[in-house]
Amino acid sequence: MMKMTNKIQTHIPKLKLSPTQAASALAAPLLALSLTSCFGGRSSATGGEVTGVGGSAWAEPTPYGMVLVDRGAYAMGPSADDSIWDIKANSKGVSVDAFWMDETEITNSKYKQFVFWVRDSIIRERLADPAYGGDETFKIEEDKEGNPITPYLNWNKAIPWRNPNEDEQRAIESVYRTNPITGRRELDPTQLNYRYEIYNHTAAAQRKNRLDPATREYNTDLPVSDELPVISKDTAYLTDEGEIIRETISRPLTGDFDFLNTYIVNVYPDTTCWINDFENAYNEPYTRMYFSHAGYNNYPVVGVSWEQANAFSNWRTDFLRRSLGKDGIYIEPYRLPTEAEWEYAARAGNSESSYPWEETLPYDERGCFYANFKPMDGDYVRDGHVITSPVGTFSANDFGLYDMAGNVSEWTSTAYTESIDRLTSDLNPEYRYDAAKEDPYKMKKKIVRGGSWKDVAHNLRSDLRMWEYQNEQRSYIGFRNVRSQIGFARGTQKKRK
């Protein structure tokens, strides 16, 4: 777990209401409703029968670039032994609810939008700073009546990229640096820190974490302890030198805010992963060009850790909420898929298939490949690509999802442990462990799925799990987002032919 406070706050999302706060917010209208009923209301119109409470539902539009994966059940995991690869059958019947999923992996272009948003938020913060001219129009601190409010950045005011004055120029240039070797002007990755807060609804909902001791245990035969439960929360802050300090605090529960976790994440991808993943290989051009050059815009982003992928997901959610501009409308957050969701989507709900396609071979009768991987020893190019390929190059599976095998492996939200199959439920299975900084490194493993451009065909299997440490940044790991669908009636998933 980790917590953070930014000296330059690049992002402060709207606070989500806890269950207790939500209940309080509803109290007034409920009271008004009950008083109305006491004095007659419209009960006579229905003959005194209970007819239910109506309401208007916000029609959830199809999220951009996503497809709906409908609810379903399947046998998760390998269903047969494989002595060659020492795989034991351990399939488990599970069910998952419906969710939206990105058609493709997150691209360099989409991730750059995140990076540039963080850059622009820092610039706006500095343009409003008296040390850089103090243009108060870049930061709103009062409402229309002049009353003080929680300050927020004004994204409607454009940054003066062209013809800035001296102070504005210093603010803009402050997020750049000059490369001491090449002399080129480039973004300073060390400054690109994103601060966000996540309310842990699961922990807050658990009975053991209730403030009222009498409601923690329903078995009246057991004694009630007045001792407050001890909870852990993540926090973080920046030092004066710009170093991110992450801490996990354990303390007696005092209220809903104890379930609010704060994170600060440096969002710039590790472009050196191309060298560090491959010893004695000339991959320097990728370090300079893969993320920054527009020619790679439609390629999957790599060099992002599990932590950075979560930060992107949070930013994407908040970006959508701001664009909707409708107070009170709830949207499910963008997030990483659970391992069970990912496997179900990759196999298109087919328990008989070990790959996103029905055949056991990674190519058809004409020799056309279904995915980007390493077909032969040392031969990366037989499928037409040396490293990653543009997303959507190969055919989609029956759910309309591209690159669910190969190209890049993908982060899931699920923590890895050897006993995970015995720990998880058969309904929307998920194993979550938010590792504290002080935890042993082996407890910071997260599950990745799908295999990548550097893997042999066997590692592309959709029914096999692999793992990586949550802070690692690899040239062969990327991610995609999902969003739970709001529970309207729906039918069976239609497969694409």
Side-chain angles (χ1 to χ4, degrees):
M1 312 255 193
M2 310 141 199
K3 210 81 300 189
M4 323 167 190
T5 312
N6 214 339
K7 188 175 182 181
I8 297 174
Q9 292 188 346
T10 59
H11 167 63
I12 301 180
K14 291 182 179 178
L15 190 61
K16 304 179 182 69
L17 288 179
S18 71
T20 303
Q21 292 168 319
S24 299
L26 287 173
L30 286 177
L31 177 60
L33 179 62
S34 64
L35 289 175
T36 302
S37 300
C38 290
F39 293 98
R42 299 180 59 189
S43 60
S44 59
T46 60
E49 297 290 348
V50 174
T51 60
V53 176
S56 59
W58 179 56
E60 182 183 28
T62 299
Y64 178 78
M66 286 186 154
V67 297
L68 177 63
V69 177
D70 210 343
R71 61 191 175 193
Y74 72 108
M76 182 178 178
S79 57
D81 291 342
D82 188 335
S83 58
I84 297 177
W85 294 93
D86 192 27
I87 295 173
K88 300 296 183 182
N90 66 341
S91 61
K92 172 183 178 180
V94 302
S95 296
V96 294
D97 209 342
F99 56 93
W100 302 95
M101 189 176 218
D102 282 324
E103 285 183 303
T104 70
E105 294 140 343
I106 296 299
T107 61
N108 282 323
S109 176
K110 289 182 177 179
Y111 197 84
K112 278 181 193 175
Q113 187 175 353
F114 176 36
V115 170
F116 290 167
W117 185 94
V118 174
R119 175 201 66 184
D120 292 353
S121 69
I122 296 173
I123 292 175
R124 281 186 166 84
E125 192 79 44
R126 291 179 182 170
L127 286 168
D129 188 335
Y132 292 92
D135 188 342
E136 297 178 354
T137 60
F138 279 98
K139 196 169 187 177
I140 308 299
E141 298 182 348
E142 297 178 345
D143 61 19
K144 294 179 180 179
E145 285 73 38
N147 301 311
I149 58 175
T150 302
Y152 64 92
L153 296 179
N154 181 11
W155 287 87
N156 293 321
K157 184 173 177 61
I159 294 174
W161 297 105
R162 295 184 179 181
N163 303 318
N165 61 38
E166 184 177 343
D167 288 330
E168 293 169 340
Q169 183 68 26
R170 286 193 305 112
I172 293 171
E173 291 297 327
S174 67
V175 297
Y176 291 86
R177 68 181 184 185
T178 300
N179 188 302
I181 306 301
T182 64
R184 294 180 58 186
R185 175 179 175 269
E186 58 188 28
L187 267 177
D188 181 3
T190 63
Q191 296 189 53
L192 301 178
N193 300 318
Y194 175 73
R195 178 185 183 272
Y196 69 102
E197 296 175 327
I198 289 290
Y199 186 81
N200 190 337
H201 289 273
T202 300
Q206 291 174 332
R207 290 178 183 170
K208 66 179 183 180
N209 289 331
R210 291 177 178 173
L211 283 172
D212 183 1
T215 62
R216 291 183 209 140
E217 176 57 65
Y218 286 0
N219 187 341
T220 55
D221 293 337
L222 298 177
V224 176
S225 172
D226 292 333
E227 205 171 305
L228 288 172
V230 175
I231 58 93
S232 295
K233 65 176 296 183
D234 292 336
T235 186
Y237 61 92
L238 283 177
T239 66
D240 292 338
E241 292 73 33
E243 180 186 1
I244 299 174
I245 303 297
R246 300 171 177 175
E247 296 178 344
T248 299
I249 301 172
S250 295
R251 67 184 185 194
L253 179 65
T254 60
D256 290 327
F257 278 94
D258 285 331
F259 300 107
L260 193 65
N261 298 278
T262 305
Y263 301 94
I264 298 176
V265 178
N266 185 273
V267 303
Y268 204 83
D270 181 9
T271 58
T272 68
C273 61
W274 294 99
I275 291 178
N276 291 302
D277 286 344
F278 301 92
E279 292 186 0
N280 301 317
Y282 182 66
N283 289 336
E284 289 181 23
Y286 304 138
T287 68
R288 294 189 291 269
M289 308 295 283
Y290 185 83
F291 183 67
S292 61
H293 195 284
Y296 286 102
N297 269 358
N298 204 36
Y299 285 66
V301 67
V302 297
V304 290
S305 66
W306 181 85
E307 295 161 350
Q308 289 173 314
N310 276 293
F312 174 92
S313 305
N314 180 271
W315 166 79
R316 186 178 182 184
T317 302
D318 200 55
F319 190 76
L320 175 61
R321 285 184 179 137
R322 287 195 311 275
S323 68
L324 290 173
K326 298 177 181 179
D327 293 336
I329 289 183
Y330 176 80
I331 61 168
E332 281 291 313
Y334 290 101
R335 56 182 174 82
L336 294 179
T338 67
E339 181 193 23
E341 289 172 333
W342 194 98
E343 182 176 329
Y344 177 70
R347 298 170 74 175
N350 186 354
S351 300
E352 306 301 319
S353 178
S354 299
Y355 292 92
W357 49 85
E358 295 182 359
E359 295 81 2
T360 57
L361 294 175
Y363 48 81
D364 62 20
E365 65 278 358
R366 299 169 298 167
C368 296
F369 287 93
Y370 294 131
N372 176 16
F373 65 108
K374 184 167 72 170
M376 298 181 67
D377 185 23
D379 186 352
Y380 293 87
V381 300
R382 194 176 179 192
D383 58 16
H385 306 273
V386 178
I387 53 168
T388 56
S389 56
V391 297
T393 296
F394 297 86
S395 298
N397 72 355
D398 284 343
F399 279 1
L401 300 166
Y402 296 88
D403 300 317
M404 294 300 286
N407 214 13
V408 291
S409 297
E410 299 178 14
W411 290 111
T412 72
S413 62
T414 307
Y416 175 81
T417 176
E418 292 180 357
S419 58
I420 185 172
D421 292 317
R422 298 192 297 273
L423 295 173
T424 53
S425 170
D426 58 1
L427 172 63
N428 295 319
E430 170 69 328
Y431 175 66
R432 172 177 173 172
Y433 183 76
D434 297 326
K437 180 181 179 181
E438 299 76 19
D439 280 335
Y441 199 41
K442 67 179 181 180
M443 298 178 70
K444 301 176 182 179
K445 298 175 181 177
K446 306 300 181 187
I447 292 174
V448 294
R449 288 299 202 111
S452 74
W453 59 271
K454 74 166 190 62
D455 288 310
V456 296
H458 170 268
N459 291 345
L460 306 187
R461 283 179 54 165
S462 305
D463 58 352
L464 298 181
R465 69 169 54 100
M466 294 164 278
W467 58 265
E468 184 53 270
Y469 294 105
Q470 65 185 46
N471 63 341
E472 273 288 2
Q473 299 158 297
R474 299 292 192 183
S475 61
Y476 47 85
I477 298 180
F479 70 101
R480 72 180 78 206
N481 282 149
V482 298
R483 254 178 67 188
S484 297
Q485 191 200 32
I486 297 175
F488 295 120
R490 48 195 176 269
T492 304
Q493 175 82 46
K494 293 181 179 180
K495 295 184 178 182
R496 296 190 179 186
K497 298 297 184 181

